[in-house]
Amino acid sequence: KAKADQRFNQVRKLAHSLMFDYHDQIAALPGSTQLRQRLVKDSLEYLDSLAQEAGSDLTLQQEIGTAYQRIGDVQGGLITSASGGSLSASNLGDTQGALASYRKALAIRERLAVVEPSNSEVQQEWGTSITRLGELSLTLGKPADAVEHFREAIAIYEKLSASDPANNVLRKKLSTLQYVLGKALGV
């Protein structure tokens, strides 16, 4: 059992390196789009398989949620900057793929948030997943969906900020979300 767990962790580490470390290096190379698309495809197959086997391993589920979000970013997501603008990461322009990956991340993170309601990190990750869906909804021309997602994320961050009012990181995330919501509403 211990040897199997060690082997499993080695495979997880290798997969993580391939999905993220190598991808980031490849992204800078001209003409690498096909290779990046293949890497994303293979990574998604691996994640889908791993997600089915994760069972009650909360740490593994958390890692899988993070990996799906990262894959979504690579596929076609946008990341909100601290000033409220969107930063276009080096992505493949596959917004529908990004939407599917973000939804998978959200489903995992939502389950974790229910299981661990007092875990601030898990709650923040849940809020981040909802925020990514809001950002992508704007990109896809669905402002009403974006507003709904941003309001849901704001509620999470308001609760987190209320329980830790001295946490400036949480307050900054909350104010950024409020700003982005205002922009989505046309205020």
Side-chain angles (χ1 to χ4, degrees):
K1 170 87 173 134
K3 188 153 183 99
D5 286 345
Q6 180 184 11
R7 186 81 175 130
F8 179 71
N9 287 328
Q10 289 172 336
V11 170
R12 256 170 54 187
K13 184 177 177 184
L14 175 63
H16 185 273
S17 290
L18 282 171
M19 284 188 288
F20 305 121
D21 300 337
Y22 293 116
H23 174 271
D24 291 346
Q25 295 296 315
I26 294 168
L29 298 174
S32 65
T33 302
Q34 285 184 330
L35 179 59
R36 292 171 60 213
Q37 288 170 333
R38 175 67 191 263
L39 190 56
V40 165
K41 180 183 174 287
D42 291 348
S43 296
L44 283 171
E45 287 175 9
Y46 170 75
L47 282 174
D48 289 344
S49 172
L50 191 59
Q52 292 178 348
E53 298 172 18
S56 61
D57 185 337
L58 299 180
T59 302
L60 178 56
Q61 288 181 28
Q62 194 171 5
E63 287 178 27
I64 293 169
T66 298
Y68 275 126
Q69 180 179 300
R70 178 74 164 91
I71 292 291
D73 293 345
V74 169
Q75 287 172 298
L78 294 174
I79 301 163
T80 301
S81 70
S83 64
S86 292
L87 303 174
S88 180
S90 175
N91 69 55
L92 297 170
D94 178 10
T95 53
Q96 292 304 312
L99 184 62
S101 293
Y102 285 162
R103 285 180 176 156
K104 289 177 184 180
L106 177 60
I108 291 168
R109 288 173 162 178
E110 204 165 34
R111 283 192 305 271
L112 290 172
V114 169
V115 172
E116 298 192 52
S118 61
N119 184 326
S120 179
E121 181 182 348
V122 167
Q123 298 298 315
Q124 286 181 62
E125 289 172 351
W126 179 34
T128 299
S129 285
I130 295 167
T131 301
R132 287 291 203 283
L133 284 170
E135 294 165 341
L136 195 54
S137 294
L138 283 177
T139 300
L140 295 171
K142 298 179 178 181
D145 290 349
V147 166
E148 182 180 325
H149 291 304
F150 292 143
R151 284 185 171 149
E152 190 176 350
I154 286 170
I156 292 167
Y157 281 103
E158 283 176 339
K159 186 176 177 183
L160 288 168
S161 291
S163 67
D164 188 4
N167 187 325
N168 290 330
V169 173
L170 290 175
R171 290 176 36 209
K172 185 174 183 177
K173 286 181 181 182
L174 179 58
S175 67
T176 298
L177 277 167
Q178 291 167 334
Y179 175 78
V180 173
L181 173 62
K183 284 184 72 168
L185 288 169
V187 177

